[in-house]
Amino acid sequence: MTRTNRLDRCEMKKKCRHFLGRSLVVTVRSRLAAAVGVVALLVAALTGTAAGAASAAPVAAATEASPGWVCPGTAIPSDYVVTYRNANGCNGAGSWYIQPVQDGIWVCATSPIPTGYVLTLHTANGCGSNIDTWFMQLARDGQWVCAGSPIPSGYVLTAHINTGCGNIGSWLQQLARPGQYICPGVPVPAGFRTDAYNASMCSGLGGWLLLNA
């Protein structure tokens, strides 16, 4: 292969990666916009903290506590989640019920997402106040997760269903392995690199071949 051809191939790969990554973001955002409280979910996924539908929702913090009701603005201990809201609590400001996270639990859209957990189901009318509610589970190989769910360390997304997770969209989450094709925009785990692009992979969104670094 000549130097010119190598440069052309590199430039094409960069352009494809940019286009497809942007396409994935647009796809996810358009589907998330259909549900109330999705801003909270995206911030939680990116930062590990919650930003609820209201600014007075609880925030995450590494403090000790026990299960119970808290008022808006109360710090939530690490590895705790928000599971219910009482609109009449805290003198009308609304109160939130917090409890330790566990594998298989429905949480409010304002809840933090502890490390190692993902979101696999969704309902728009939960949390005791018709607030978006998500089913949280420990990450597993071969698991379908909702659009916007955190991608745990060592995992990649390899397929997509438009109608999954209540029409928000679902992604197939797998442990990273050489020879997989990963969806555009998915972070490449440490110890791996991407190579060839195949437009038919990731349910037609296109995918990049994953190889050992």
Side-chain angles (χ1 to χ4, degrees), residues 98-124:
I98 64 172
Q99 64 185 85
V101 67
Q102 63 186 47
D103 185 18
I105 187 172
W106 286 96
V107 300
C108 303
T110 53
S111 178
I113 304 175
T115 301
Y117 284 83
V118 293
L119 306 175
T120 58
L121 295 171
H122 169 258
T123 176

Side-chain angles (χ1 to χ4, degrees), residues 35-79:
V36 178
V38 294
V39 173
L41 174 62
L42 286 175
V43 174
L46 293 173
T47 68
T49 60
S55 60
V59 295
T63 60
E64 294 183 2
S66 58
W69 292 95
V70 297
C71 292
T74 302
I76 302 176
S78 177
D79 295 330

Side-chain angles (χ1 to χ4, degrees), residues 2-150:
T2 66
R3 181 173 183 275
T4 299
N5 288 338
R6 286 197 301 270
L7 290 173
D8 289 344
R9 181 175 180 272
C10 179
E11 184 65 25
M12 179 182 69
K13 184 172 181 179
K14 289 180 180 177
K15 289 181 178 179
C16 287
R17 188 186 299 274
H18 173 73
F19 172 76
L20 291 165
R22 184 173 61 182
S23 176
L24 174 64
V25 172
V26 171
T27 300
V28 171
R29 285 180 176 173
S30 64
R31 299 193 186 286
L32 284 173
V36 178
V38 294
V39 173
L41 174 62
L42 286 175
V43 174
L46 293 173
T47 68
T49 60
S55 60
V59 295
T63 60
E64 294 183 2
S66 58
W69 292 95
V70 297
C71 292
T74 302
I76 302 176
S78 177
D79 295 330
Y80 269 63
V81 291
V82 180
T83 57
Y84 203 82
R85 181 174 186 267
N86 179 0
N88 299 317
C90 294
N91 297 320
S95 57
W96 303 85
Y97 190 81
I98 64 172
Q99 64 185 85
V101 67
Q102 63 186 47
D103 185 18
I105 187 172
W106 286 96
V107 300
C108 303
T110 53
S111 178
I113 304 175
T115 301
Y117 284 83
V118 293
L119 306 175
T120 58
L121 295 171
H122 169 258
T123 176
N125 301 304
C127 198
S129 298
N130 293 326
I131 296 175
D132 279 82
T133 308
W134 305 85
F135 193 63
M136 185 180 292
Q137 294 181 284
L138 282 169
R140 296 180 179 86
D141 189 25
Q143 190 176 38
W144 286 94
V145 300
C146 298
S149 177

